[in-house]
């Protein structure tokens, strides 16, 4: 079965059972400054898992683009990926376990035709936060999985979420495929990493909310959240023990074989080839979102991925620029399903080429510095770290060159210096993520509502040709881009500011209704119409002042916003302006 058929079969199975298909959301979370990328199908659905009504109803399914940055270093084996696709279905307070377990069993055995005796499952063993999930085990037994293939494991294996520090989570039940390989010892069972059992699907019973105090509160709405990795399942269904041999990666690997004139079948080439394929595939998808390589946030992840790919290219003795060729094979392989990578292909090639060039310069500068340092016949770990920290010169290259020159290098000291650095940046990152995913902080919600007010005010003051061209919210400020040909005068800025503050003072209700996109357009609502919307959308109204299609969430009354202030107005590309504003 091809990946394409798998996606279709999954979606058909659930739409036949009254689920609405939601399009994959962007890889970049909307209005959620606490996390860089969407990491699971449930991630864009957090507000709805917490009880907000979803415009498409209580039963949903999707194929979601996901990216996990925690896995960058783990890539290189048969099944880790940074970018991957996740099939998922959701019950938002609708059906529960007694429906989901038979559905899972039916899909695996009847649609995917996996023999039932190849399937084993794990359930939550229970602890102080939640009881042992005997209920699910009984349902599996009823469906046709005998007791000896039902295992109970603790939180580290059978609990999913929250995606951030706080948020919806719960016990899960995981389904494993037995590859038929011999077990690795008497303790080998599903959950063991030896490769005998491969996890293919995860049903999460999201009935808890993890609080910042690490308590687990029961959610009022009990949800089902499932996730099935397209790459792994395609491999299993085709009897392959390596995701990179599936049609989702094979053409990319073949291209790398061609460029490097080396064979994937040779053990030593496997790891670098997988890393190049994975990282450049992820880079193509991040670039398609409009992100550019940089030293911060998503741009930094992108930079790291491209540079790592280039570095592993060197290990395969590829010296020229090659990322564009690999990207081309990614676009050929994935473009049918994700047309955005086709329409963005020019930009993707351009940015990849530029970043490769910049990295090459880095390597040249670092090499010069290396030459200087190595004259004394030895490079200390601290010096190697300095090369890495200051010139972005990869440690592996330092080691490689030191070997060539037969000079000594203190790896331990390097690792120590790096760990110290990582410890410091982890503290920084923890601060950033402290808000947690579901904790779309009150302040962010306020800014989100202020965005609608600002948009409407700009159109009143500057005219109806003004259109939103982008926005970015942090807990400290909002940034709003819009189309307008010239610099705003001080008078215009004051007028806009006053108008927004007046609407805040009027304490207008913020309300939404669910309508079709056509109806929203008819009502004259603002929307980013070139963006993909779902069939039914939420139309947010702020009194009679603003009407916009938007996913929410928003405050209930504008009076909650406080005082609105425009901090800066500046150019933002041709025909576009940018405003920074705060609420206090
Ligand atoms: N959230 C769960 C996962 O990522 C199920 O969708 O596996």
């Amino acid at each position: 079965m091809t990946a394409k058929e798998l996606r279709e079969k999954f979606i058909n199975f659930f739409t036949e059972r009254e689920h609405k298909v939601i399009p994959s959301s962007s890889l970049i979370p909307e209005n959620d400054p606490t996390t860089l990328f969407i990491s699971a199908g449930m991630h864009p659905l957090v507000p709805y898992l917490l009880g907000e009504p979803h415009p498409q109803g209580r039963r949903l399914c999707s194929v979601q683009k996901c990216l996990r940055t925690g896995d960058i270093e783990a890539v290189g084996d048969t099944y880790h990926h940074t970018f991957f696709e996740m099939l998922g279905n959701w019950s938002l307070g609708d059906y529960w376990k007694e429906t989901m377990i038979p559905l899972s069993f039916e899909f695996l055995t009847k649609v995917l035709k996996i023999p039932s005796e190849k399937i084993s499952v794990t359930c939550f063993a229970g602890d102080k936060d939640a009881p042992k999930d005997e209920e699910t085990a009984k349902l599996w037994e009823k469906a046709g999985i005998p007791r000896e293939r039902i295992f109970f494991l603790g939180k580290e294996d059978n609990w999913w979420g929250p995606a951030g520090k706080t948020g919806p989570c719960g016990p899960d039940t995981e389904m494993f495929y037995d590859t038929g390989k011999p077990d690795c010892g008497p303790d080998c069972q599903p959950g063991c990493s030896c490769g005998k059992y491969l996890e293919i699907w995860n049903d999460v019973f999201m009935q808890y909310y993890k609080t910042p105090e690490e308590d687990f509160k029961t959610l009022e709405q009990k949800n089902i959240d499932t996730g099935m990795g397209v790459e792994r399942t395609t491999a299993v269904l085709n009897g392959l023990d390596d995701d990179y041999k599936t049609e989702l990666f094979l053409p990319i690997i073949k291209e790398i074989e061609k460029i490097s004139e080396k064979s994937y079948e040779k053990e030593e080439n496997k790891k670098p080839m997988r890393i190049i394929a994975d990282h450049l595939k992820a880079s193509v998808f991040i670039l398609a979102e409009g992100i550019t390589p940089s030293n911060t946030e998503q741009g930094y992840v992108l930079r790291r991925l491209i540079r790592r790919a280039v570095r592993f290219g060197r290990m395969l003795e590829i010296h020229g620029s090659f990322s564009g060729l690999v990207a081309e094979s990614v676009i050929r392989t994935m473009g049918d399903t994700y047309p955005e990578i086709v329409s963005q292909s020019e930009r993707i090639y351009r940015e990849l080429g530029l970043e490769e060039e910049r990295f090459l310069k880095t390597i040249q500068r670092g090499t010069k510095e290396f030459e200087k340092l190595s004259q004394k016949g030895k490079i200390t770990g601290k010096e190697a770290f300095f090369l890495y920290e200051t010139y972005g010169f990869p440690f592996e290259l330092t080691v490689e060159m030191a070997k060539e020159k037969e000079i000594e290098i203190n790896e331990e000291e390097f690792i120590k210096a790096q760990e110290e650095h990582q410890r410091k940046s982890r503290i920084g990152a923890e601060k950033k993520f402290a808000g947690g995913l579901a904790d779309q902080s009150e302040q962010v919600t306020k800014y989100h509502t202020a965005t609608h007010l600002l948009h409407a005010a700009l159109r009143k003051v500057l005219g109806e040709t003004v259109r939103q061209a982008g926005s970015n919210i942090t807990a400290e400020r909002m940034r709003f881009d819009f189309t307008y040909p010239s610099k705003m005068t001080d008078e215009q800025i004051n007028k806009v500011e006053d108008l927004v503050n007046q609407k805040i003072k009027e304490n207008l209700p913020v309300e939404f209704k669910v309508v079709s996109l056509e109806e929203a357009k008819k009502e004259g609502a603002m929307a980013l119409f070139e963006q993909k919307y779902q069939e039914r959308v939420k139309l947010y109204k702020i009194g009679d002042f603003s009407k916009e299609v938007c996913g929410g969430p928003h405050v209930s009354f504008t009076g909650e916003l406080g005082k609105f202030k425009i901090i800066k107005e500046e150019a933002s590309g041709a025909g576009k302006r940018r405003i920074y504003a705060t609420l206090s």
Side-chain angles (χ1 to χ4, degrees):
M1 186 182 297
T2 64
K4 189 162 182 256
E5 284 164 343
L6 170 63
R7 294 188 200 101
E8 279 168 11
K9 286 196 173 205
F10 186 91
I11 294 298
N12 287 345
F13 183 81
F14 284 100
T15 45
E16 279 161 13
R17 286 158 185 81
E18 286 154 29
H19 289 64
K20 285 273 164 32
V21 193
I22 50 172
S24 172
S25 80
S26 142
L27 267 179
I28 316 295
E30 238 178 81
N31 295 313
D32 178 3
T34 64
T35 168
L36 296 179
F37 293 101
I38 292 293
S39 63
M42 56 72 75
H43 197 153
L45 294 172
V46 170
Y48 310 104
L49 292 164
L50 295 177
E52 183 162 334
H54 192 284
Q56 306 291 317
R58 291 182 171 274
R59 294 179 176 212
L60 308 173
C61 59
S62 78
V63 186
Q64 174 66 44
K65 300 183 277 189
C66 299
L67 203 132
R68 292 191 178 169
T69 51
D71 285 343
I72 292 183
E73 305 284 340
V75 175
D77 60 11
T78 56
Y79 63 91
H80 273 98
H81 312 290
T82 39
F83 171 89
F84 63 99
E85 300 167 78
M86 192 185 280
L87 302 167
N89 66 286
W90 292 274
S91 153
L92 302 170
D94 191 46
Y95 55 85
W96 191 233
K97 296 175 183 180
E98 56 286 357
T99 305
M100 191 60 228
I101 302 297
L103 279 184
S104 290
F105 188 76
E106 187 184 346
F107 184 72
L108 292 175
T109 56
K110 297 270 160 42
V111 183
L112 300 187
K113 301 201 166 56
I114 299 177
S116 142
E117 59 281 8
K118 288 276 206 183
I119 301 171
S120 46
V121 299
T122 57
C123 302
F124 183 54
D127 65 9
K128 64 178 187 356
D129 300 316
K132 180 174 178 182
D133 198 357
E134 221 3 279
E135 201 186 342
T136 299
K138 287 217 177 88
L139 288 166
W140 277 123
E141 236 179 335
K142 202 168 145 205
I145 306 277
R147 264 285 152 169
E148 60 271 20
R149 292 207 307 274
I150 303 175
F151 300 83
F152 288 91
L153 298 172
K155 249 209 189 86
E156 48 308 330
D157 290 289
N158 276 98
W159 188 279
W160 201 89
K165 282 211 151 185
T166 61
C169 57
D172 67 31
T173 178
E174 300 183 5
M175 290 145 261
F176 290 82
Y177 175 80
D178 181 351
T179 58
K181 285 186 192 161
D183 56 35
C184 66
D187 294 335
C188 188
Q189 62 173 44
C192 171
S193 61
C194 74
K196 176 174 171 59
Y197 299 99
L198 299 175
E199 185 203 330
I200 46 177
W201 203 357
N202 183 11
D203 294 351
V204 187
F205 307 117
M206 291 215 152
Q207 58 192 120
Y208 294 97
Y209 183 91
K210 189 174 179 191
T211 67
E213 294 76 37
E214 316 243 317
D215 287 335
F216 292 89
K217 263 189 355 206
T218 307
L219 280 179
E220 244 166 66
Q221 176 179 297
K222 289 200 286 187
N223 310 289
I224 303 264
D225 153 42
T226 89
M228 176 184 275
V230 175
E231 293 75 5
R232 171 93 56 96
T233 308
T234 306
V236 162
L237 294 175
N238 290 289
L240 298 167
D241 58 2
D242 177 355
D243 292 0
Y244 292 86
K245 286 192 176 165
T246 66
E247 94 225 51
L248 295 162
F249 281 103
L250 199 58
I252 310 170
I253 296 284
K254 289 250 174 281
E255 184 65 37
I256 302 168
E257 282 187 313
K258 216 163 96 193
I259 300 169
S260 63
E261 298 177 351
K262 290 193 173 6
S263 162
Y264 183 67
E265 289 314 316
K266 260 199 149 168
E267 214 41 50
E268 77 231 37
N269 295 335
K270 285 202 159 94
K271 183 175 168 191
M273 287 192 180
R274 286 173 188 151
I275 291 177
I276 296 169
D278 171 273
H279 286 13
L280 290 177
K281 183 175 179 182
S283 301
V284 163
F285 278 91
I286 301 175
L287 282 163
E289 301 280 355
I291 306 286
T292 309
S294 75
N295 284 333
T296 55
E297 316 227 312
Q298 287 96 352
Y300 179 65
V301 174
L302 175 59
R303 170 159 285 169
R304 230 179 112 200
L305 288 168
I306 299 173
R307 292 186 173 201
R308 265 192 115 228
V310 173
R311 189 151 64 68
F312 280 91
R314 279 178 66 102
M315 283 176 65
L316 293 174
E317 294 168 326
I318 309 175
H319 287 287
S321 162
F322 69 97
S323 61
L325 288 172
V326 178
E328 220 180 302
S329 69
V330 172
I331 295 171
R332 267 201 316 272
T333 312
M334 304 295 293
D336 272 355
T337 317
Y338 298 98
E340 63 271 31
I341 60 176
V342 180
S343 62
Q344 291 289 314
S345 56
E346 288 303 313
R347 174 170 194 278
I348 292 170
Y349 299 140
R350 189 175 63 241
E351 291 294 342
L352 279 174
L354 285 173
E355 186 58 18
E356 245 187 304
E357 223 172 85
R358 279 188 291 254
F359 188 45
L360 218 64
K361 286 220 178 88
T362 299
I363 292 184
Q364 279 164 358
R365 273 200 306 267
T367 308
K368 255 197 204 149
E369 202 56 33
F370 175 91
E371 300 291 344
K372 268 195 236 155
L373 290 170
S374 63
Q375 275 173 10
K376 55 182 184 353
K378 167 178 161 190
I379 291 209
T380 67
K382 276 203 179 127
E383 283 165 346
F385 188 71
F386 165 79
L387 281 174
Y388 166 73
E389 193 30 6
T390 315
Y391 296 93
F393 198 69
F395 181 62
E396 292 78 357
L397 268 187
T398 308
V399 172
E400 204 179 283
M401 286 165 56
K403 244 196 216 148
E404 273 168 25
K405 288 193 167 256
E406 295 183 4
I407 61 173
E408 226 184 285
I409 179 152
N410 189 333
E411 195 164 337
E412 255 171 47
E413 208 182 279
F414 172 86
I415 292 170
K416 255 205 212 137
Q418 191 182 32
E419 276 172 0
E420 176 59 14
H421 178 79
Q422 278 168 347
R423 197 183 60 81
K424 282 190 191 141
S425 48
R426 204 165 33 239
I427 294 171
E430 270 165 17
K431 270 196 201 139
K432 179 167 173 59
F433 287 86
L437 172 69
D439 221 23
Q440 304 214 350
S441 74
E442 250 178 77
Q443 198 59 18
V444 170
T445 309
K446 286 183 189 171
Y447 275 122
H448 192 185
T449 308
T451 304
H452 286 216
L453 288 180
L454 174 61
H455 192 188
L458 284 167
R459 288 167 62 84
K460 289 257 154 39
V461 175
L462 303 179
E464 302 278 299
T465 56
V466 166
R467 300 238 156 213
Q468 172 165 357
S471 91
N472 172 281
I473 295 173
T474 72
E476 285 79 37
R477 55 108 184 106
M478 59 190 272
R479 194 180 79 197
F480 187 81
D481 292 350
F482 58 100
T483 54
Y484 191 62
S486 51
K487 186 166 172 56
M488 284 173 75
T489 63
D490 286 350
E491 198 195 332
Q492 286 169 331
I493 293 179
N494 288 340
K495 259 199 189 154
V496 169
E497 199 176 87
D498 289 348
L499 188 52
V500 172
N501 279 319
Q502 184 196 323
K503 295 297 157 190
I504 293 177
K505 220 160 146 201
E506 286 171 17
N507 202 16
L508 301 171
V510 184
E511 293 158 321
F512 73 84
K513 59 179 179 181
V514 175
V515 294
S516 70
L517 188 56
E518 272 315 303
E519 285 167 275
K521 278 190 202 170
K522 255 194 224 134
E523 280 209 34
M526 295 304 304
L528 305 170
F529 284 114
E530 59 277 16
Q531 184 176 316
K532 253 192 272 163
Y533 279 105
Q534 299 163 15
E535 217 178 287
R536 304 207 34 97
V537 295
K538 277 162 105 179
L539 172 54
Y540 269 95
K541 285 192 189 179
I542 308 185
D544 289 330
F545 186 62
S546 144
K547 257 187 223 171
E548 270 194 48
V549 173
C550 164
H554 284 280
V555 301
S556 306
F557 288 93
T558 56
E560 294 166 45
L561 299 188
K563 194 162 169 49
F564 175 81
K565 187 153 181 51
I566 294 180
I567 301 296
K568 198 167 164 195
E569 191 270 352
E570 63 183 21
S572 154
K576 283 188 205 150
R577 310 294 303 171
R578 169 170 286 181
I579 281 180
Y580 286 92
T582 57
L583 290 171
S584 56

